[in-house]
Every structure is written in C-alpha cells, then in structure tokens.
C-alpha cells in the first residue's frame, strides 16, 4: 500500500511492515503525518541498494552483508532506525573484524557512538604492527595516531615497531606530515629501546631531518638520546633487551670471558672451556685480533650511552696466561696485518661513525693515525689476505647499508673494488683459500633494516662476487673465524624480531653448505672471535 521512491528506483511495500521494522517509518505512518495518507513517498539522500536490502530484511529477516557494503547499510539502518537490521550489521562488524577493516570499524564506532564496537580499539592495540602495514593506516589523522601509540595497552614486539609505524605514516605524505613528527615522537617510548634499535632510529631520523629541511617552517625532528631503561608500562609487553638473554636456554656467557671452542668430528657436538677473565670492565662491540702469538682486545662499549665507550686495549699471552694493558685507542674494528694492529673506522660516539684508521705498534706500545677511509664507516667487515686489508659493506654516515668493497693500504688509502650483489652491515667477512666470504648482517628493505641471509664470495683475481648458499637463520652482529678450512659463524640476533641466538653454523667450501654445529654456552651478540695458537697443555 505504499511505493518508496529512492534514487530513481521504486519499491513496493506495506506500511504496517515498515512501521514494525523501523522506528522512522513507525513515526511517519502512525503519527498523523502527511506521508501516512500518501501511497507514494520519496526518500531523499538515500541509496537505492541499501533501501532494497533493508526492505527485503523486513520481509524475510535476512541481510546479505560483506565488507564492500556493510558500512553503507549500517549507516542507513541507523538513520532510518531499522533496529533488527542494525543489530545484524553490528554483529557482522563485531564478529568479522580483521586487520584491514579494524580502523574503519573503530572510526565508525567513534562517529556513531556504537559502544557495541568498542573492542575494535582493543583489536588495533593487540595487532598494531600488522595494522600499521595496511593502506588504511596511512589515512589516520596525526591526532588519532598519537592517541593510539600513546596507550599502555599497545602490543608490539619492540618499541622500534612503533617508531617504524610513525615513520611510515610520515613518509606517506612528507610534505604535509613532517610537521607532525615532533609531536608524534612523544608517543614513542625511546627508553625501552636497545642500542641496536637506536641504530635504525638514527638512520630514519637523518632522513626525516632532510625532509624537514626541505619544508619551509617545518618542525625539525628530534630524537632523544637513549637513556637508561625505564619500567615497562602496564599492559605493554617489554621488548627484548640486554645482550645476554638466551632463547635457546642454557647459561649466558659472562661478559669479559675468554672462551675456547674444541670442535669434534661429529656434527652438533661442541665443547667450550673457559680460559680466563679479561681485566677491566666487561665489553662488547670491541675488536680482537691475533698477532705475534698473542690475543689483542681493543675498544668496545660497556653500556649503551656515549660515556660508556671504552678506549682501553689489552693483550693476552696464552703461554704466560697473563694480560697486559696497552695504550688507549678510540675505535672498535681491529685486524692484524704486516706486523701491526689496525683499528679501522667504527663508532667514536653513539650513532656517530668515523673514517679514521689507527695503527698499533707492538714494539713501542703506541697508536698512530694512518691514511683515512674514503668515508665514515661502522658495522663493516674487515679481513686480511696476502694482497692486503679488504673492507666490505657497513653503515655510512646516514646509517644506510652499503654494498661497497675496497682494498685498503695504510700508506696510500683505499682502492675501490667490485660491489657486492647486495648491501649489508653488521656482517661477517672471512678469508679462506684466497677468497673472501661474507655472511649474515642486515640490509636495507624500504625504509627499515631486515635480516640479510644471502652470502657471497669474492675472487680477487677476477674482481667478482658470486652467490653461495644462504644462511639457514639470521646472524646479525655475530662473531666469525676460520678453523680447519671451514668458516664458523657464532651467535648474533635476528633484526626482524630481535631474538638473540647462541647458534653456531659452519660453512664448508667443498660442499658449499652450511651446517648446524650446536650452540654457544648462551645467547650472545656483538661478540668477536679470532684464531689463536695455544700452548699444548691447554
């Protein structure tokens, strides 16, 4: 007994059924309004497809819903007060919420005061990292983004995930959004980050500062220096922190400990024996090298702030079983060559790498500067062959991973060689049978770092790199050494989830395969290893 004209379409219906299904139509047809006496009613500002679905639901009680139409039908049901249809819509939104739709559901709930959908906010907090990778995340306002990241209930594997999400949001529209960077960074809890995470923060911050410089009147991005860890806010899981946590179980190797690994013929069996304790405070990210029958340990860090960088150097005589303190130096990457010890590049302060090279004279116990590197480097690989000192990859001054390789001479400087197929830093490089092998580390992926599993070998005769078998697991910041014609990679961590490892893998150039050899006494990163001849009784 009534025809509804909606958007050029006409729908035949019964007033009594519409009034029973919709408070809007009940008021129209039972309150003496003009429409109650009309046989044709025009509905402006409505869509024919939504009205058709709601009328059909009034007759048969079913409502076809999908993410393509649910928000439109819900809005129309809300406006025309189709209560049963609205209940079906809200039920669909609540039961089918997912990563790609949760932001829309939360926005709808906030706009229309739908308390039934409040758990959409909880879903966002529980799945924040996955949500931050969706296209909808880039549509958030700065205010809404700050509101989300500021909540204690935010669940992230590491606080770095929050920083990455904010950076991704800014770089989606830098011209408009870089001015919000300073405010948004107040929602990132930097004290929960480790030094390794701050390396990525530094790299992204440098890029943001360049963006800010390009915008007139833009707010310059400022990232605070890392402070001591603060208590984890209630509800937010603590990120992995500390360099001695052991996901594989077992006791951690005490910082400052010298260890001896004795390999056996059978795979996956390793014996570790403690040789002694280094003098001074424990250290990591230091340099080690063997020369003239002694072990040299130079530089490193005691903790994560600029005041914890160590300049001390020591030598260990395995025959006398004693340590000797040497003259102080200031860099971390050490290698023995031509009767001297070289400290090449590294971090002079936290997040500030350098291009200088220092040489230690074993006879005079003194350090002196030699020819500088072509650019500031840290996290690079260094190895020695009869041809000289080779340097690969590393971070430049903007903390971008590099694919570069060059031959370094203390007197004349660096000679560029063929680039690696892929950039890498915090990797291992070892010389074996006249060739150079690189493995592990991190690489650039879009705006962030990710694990570098690809391995390569360099042939100095042809100046070419060739791919070899990839690592079975990540080894970032790992130690490496060559023993009995095979390359050992020890410890490290995974950049993707910051899980620390005590695993040991061995590469055999004859079989071209990586083999699992067992574990270290505990998970450990930023450790160094070298080959040292020991007395028979050891």
């Amino acid at each position: 007994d009534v025809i509804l004209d909606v958007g050029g379409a006409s729908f035949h219906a019964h007033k009594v059924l519409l009034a029973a299904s919709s408070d809007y139509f009940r008021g129209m047809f039972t309150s003496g309004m003009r429409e109650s006496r009309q046989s044709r009613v025009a509905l402006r500002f409505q869509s024919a497809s939504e009205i058709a679905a709601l009328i059909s639901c009034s007759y048969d009680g079913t409502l076809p819903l999908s993410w393509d139409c649910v928000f439109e039908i819900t809005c129309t049901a809300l406006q025309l007060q189709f209560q049963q249809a609205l209940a079906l819509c809200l039920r669909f939104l609540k039961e089918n919420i997912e990563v790609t739709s949760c932001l829309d559901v939360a926005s709808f709930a906030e706009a229309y005061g739908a308390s039934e959908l409040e758990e959409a906010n909880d879903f966002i907090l529980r799945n924040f990292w996955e949500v931050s990778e969706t296209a909808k995340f880039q549509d958030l306002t700065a205010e809404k983004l700050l509101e989300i990241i500021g909540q204690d209930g935010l669940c992230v594997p590491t606080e770095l995930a929050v920083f990455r999400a904010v950076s991704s949001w800014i770089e989606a529209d830098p011209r408009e959004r870089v001015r919000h960077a300073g405010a948004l960074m107040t929602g990132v809890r930097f004290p929960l980050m480790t030094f390794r995470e701050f390396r990525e923060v530094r790299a992204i911050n440098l890029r943001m500062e360049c963006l800010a410089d390009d915008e007139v009147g833009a707010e310059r991005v400022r990232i605070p220096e890392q402070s001591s860890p603060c208590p984890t806010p209630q509800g937010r899981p603590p990120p992995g922190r500390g360099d001695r946590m052991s996901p594989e179980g077992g006791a951690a190797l005490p910082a400052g400990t010298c260890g001896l690994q004795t390999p056996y013929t059978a795979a996956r069996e390793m014996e570790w024996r403690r040789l002694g304790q280094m003098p001074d405070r424990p250290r990591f990210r230091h340099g080690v090298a063997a020369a003239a029958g002694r072990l040299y340990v130079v530089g490193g860090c005691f903790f994560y702030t600029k005041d914890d960088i160590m300049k001390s150097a020591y030598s260990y005589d395995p025959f006398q079983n004693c340590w000797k303190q040497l003259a102080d130096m200031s860099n971390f990457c050490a290698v023995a060559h031509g009767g001297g010890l070289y400290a090449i590049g590294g971090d002079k302060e936290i997040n500030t790498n350098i291009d200088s090279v220092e040489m230690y004279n074993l006879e005079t116990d003194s350090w002196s500067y030699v020819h500088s590197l072509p650019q500031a480097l840290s996290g690079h690989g260094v190895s020695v062959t009869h041809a000289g000192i080779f340097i690969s990859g590393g971070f430049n001054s903007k903390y971008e991973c590099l694919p570069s390789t060059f031959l370094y001479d203390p007197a004349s400087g660096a000679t560029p060689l063929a680039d690696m197929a892929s950039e890498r830093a915090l990797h291992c490089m070892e010389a074996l049978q006249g060739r150079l092998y690189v493995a592990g580390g991190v690489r650039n992926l879009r705006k962030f770092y990710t694990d570098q599993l690809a391995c390569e070998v360099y042939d100095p005769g042809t100046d070419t790199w060739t791919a070899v078998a990839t690592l079975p697991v990540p080894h970032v910041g790992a130690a490496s050494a060559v023993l009995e014609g095979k390359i050992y990679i020890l410890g490290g961590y995974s950049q993707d989830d910051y899980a620390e490892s005590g695993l040991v893998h061995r590469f055999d150039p004859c079989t071209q395969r990586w083999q699992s050899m067992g574990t270290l006494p505990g998970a450990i990163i930023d450790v160094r290893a070298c080959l040292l001849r020991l007395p028979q009784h050891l």
Side-chain angles (χ1 to χ4, degrees), residues 281-413:
R281 295 179 297 178
R283 66 185 69 206
F284 62 97
R285 300 191 67 244
H286 49 291
V288 300
R294 289 180 170 84
L295 171 68
Y296 289 85
V297 180
V298 297
C301 298
F302 174 68
F303 198 59
Y304 299 105
T305 68
K306 63 182 180 182
D307 295 330
D308 295 311
I309 293 179
M310 306 172 70
K311 298 183 179 181
S312 57
Y314 292 87
S315 68
Y316 172 72
D317 186 340
F319 291 89
Q320 302 296 324
N321 190 28
C322 64
W323 290 88
K324 176 184 177 182
Q325 186 168 5
L326 311 176
D328 286 354
M329 47 80 67
S330 59
N331 301 325
F332 311 138
C333 191
V335 66
H337 175 64
L341 193 66
Y342 293 87
I344 303 173
D347 291 303
K348 186 174 183 179
E349 294 181 355
I350 300 298
N351 294 327
T352 304
N353 51 19
I354 55 177
D355 62 358
S356 61
V357 180
E358 294 181 64
M359 184 189 74
Y360 175 74
N361 189 312
L362 279 65
E363 296 182 358
T364 63
D365 184 26
S366 62
W367 292 91
S368 60
Y369 285 99
V370 290
H371 207 290
S372 298
L373 299 175
Q375 63 175 317
L377 280 181
S378 63
H380 48 289
V382 181
S383 192
V384 175
T385 72
H386 66 279
I389 301 173
F390 290 84
I391 301 175
S392 65
F395 297 108
N396 61 14
S397 59
K398 295 183 179 180
Y399 283 84
E400 300 165 326
C401 299
L402 302 173
S404 58
T405 311
F406 52 89
L407 178 63
Y408 173 79
D409 184 272
S412 58

Side-chain angles (χ1 to χ4, degrees), residues 2 59 284:
V2 68
Y59 280 89
F284 62 97

